[in-house]
């Protein structure tokens, strides 16, 4: 990814969030994409990664079995991004009728209580 000057993967990821971006690593050997910062490819064992920027668009892949409409203030989900990788993420508070497996989502960056940033996905109209 052009413009990345640090070699610390966690810093590159955090810098992306600070710019409203979800950055991810892609293995140069086998093209596997990773939502979590990685130093070793789980598919081929490669150690050569490039940084790419996600569009921030995806779909809800899975929801917790215990989730009920009363729990939709903010809940965990597995989101599959348009780039083909999945990540554990939080869903933004939204009406229960907008949350289902396959619902389209869009990235937002949220600040936590300690001031750090994290990805958050908001269900959007299909």
């Amino acid at each position: 990814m052009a413009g990345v000057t640090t070699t610390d993967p966690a810093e590159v990821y955090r810098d992306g969030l600070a710019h409203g971006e979800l950055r991810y690593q892609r293995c140069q050997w086998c093209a596997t994409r990773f939502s979590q910062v990685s130093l070793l490819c789980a598919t081929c064992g490669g150690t050569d990664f490039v940084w790419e920027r996600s569009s921030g668009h995806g779909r809800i892949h899975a929801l917790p079995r215990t989730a009920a409409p009363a729990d939709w203030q903010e809940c965990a989900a597995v989101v599959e991004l348009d780039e083909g990788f999945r990540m554990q993420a939080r869903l933004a508070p939204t009406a229960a009728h907008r949350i289902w497996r396959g619902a389209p989502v869009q990235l937002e960056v949220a600040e936590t209580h300690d001031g750090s940033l994290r990805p958050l996905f908001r269900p959007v109209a299909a």
Side-chain angles (χ1 to χ4, degrees), residues 21-35:
E21 303 170 350
L22 178 62
R23 294 179 183 169
Y24 64 94
Q25 294 175 298
R26 181 179 50 80
C27 177
Q28 293 225 69
W29 296 4
C30 71
T32 299
R33 293 169 173 90
F34 295 93
S35 63

Side-chain angles (χ1 to χ4, degrees), residues 1 3 15 21-22 25 30 46 52 54 67 70 80 84 88 90-91 95 103 118 124:
M1 190 166 138
D15 183 62
E21 303 170 350
L22 178 62
Q25 294 175 298
C30 71
E52 296 188 355
S54 172
E80 183 167 355
Q88 184 79 20
R90 304 294 293 176
L91 297 178
R118 67 178 168 139
V124 295

Side-chain angles (χ1 to χ4, degrees), residues 1 9 24-34 36-52:
M1 190 166 138
Y24 64 94
Q25 294 175 298
R26 181 179 50 80
C27 177
Q28 293 225 69
W29 296 4
C30 71
T32 299
R33 293 169 173 90
F34 295 93
Q36 300 294 319
V37 173
S38 185
L39 299 175
L40 183 68
C41 178
T43 302
C44 72
T47 58
D48 194 13
F49 297 97
V50 292
W51 284 97
E52 296 188 355

Side-chain angles (χ1 to χ4, degrees), residues 3-102:
V4 174
T5 57
T6 181
T7 57
D8 177 7
E11 190 175 326
V12 173
Y13 181 79
R14 286 189 305 266
D15 183 62
L17 291 177
H19 287 91
E21 303 170 350
L22 178 62
R23 294 179 183 169
Y24 64 94
Q25 294 175 298
R26 181 179 50 80
C27 177
Q28 293 225 69
W29 296 4
C30 71
T32 299
R33 293 169 173 90
F34 295 93
S35 63
Q36 300 294 319
V37 173
S38 185
L39 299 175
L40 183 68
C41 178
T43 302
C44 72
T47 58
D48 194 13
F49 297 97
V50 292
W51 284 97
E52 296 188 355
R53 184 179 309 132
S54 172
S55 68
H57 297 276
R59 297 199 172 274
I60 296 173
H61 176 75
L63 293 163
R65 291 178 192 232
T66 59
D71 299 326
W72 293 134
Q73 288 304 306
E74 190 175 288
C75 71
V78 176
V79 172
E80 183 167 355
L81 281 297
D82 287 353
E83 290 80 16
F85 65 92
R86 295 177 185 153
M87 65 182 290
Q88 184 79 20
R90 304 294 293 176
L91 297 178
T94 192
H97 72 275
R98 294 188 148 219
I99 300 176
W100 73 90
R101 187 169 186 230

Side-chain angles (χ1 to χ4, degrees), residues 99-121:
I99 300 176
W100 73 90
R101 187 169 186 230
V105 293
Q106 172 66 44
L107 172 72
E108 293 182 2
V109 176
E111 189 172 333
T112 65
H113 65 281
D114 67 0
S116 62
L117 299 175
R118 67 178 168 139
L120 184 75
F121 288 88

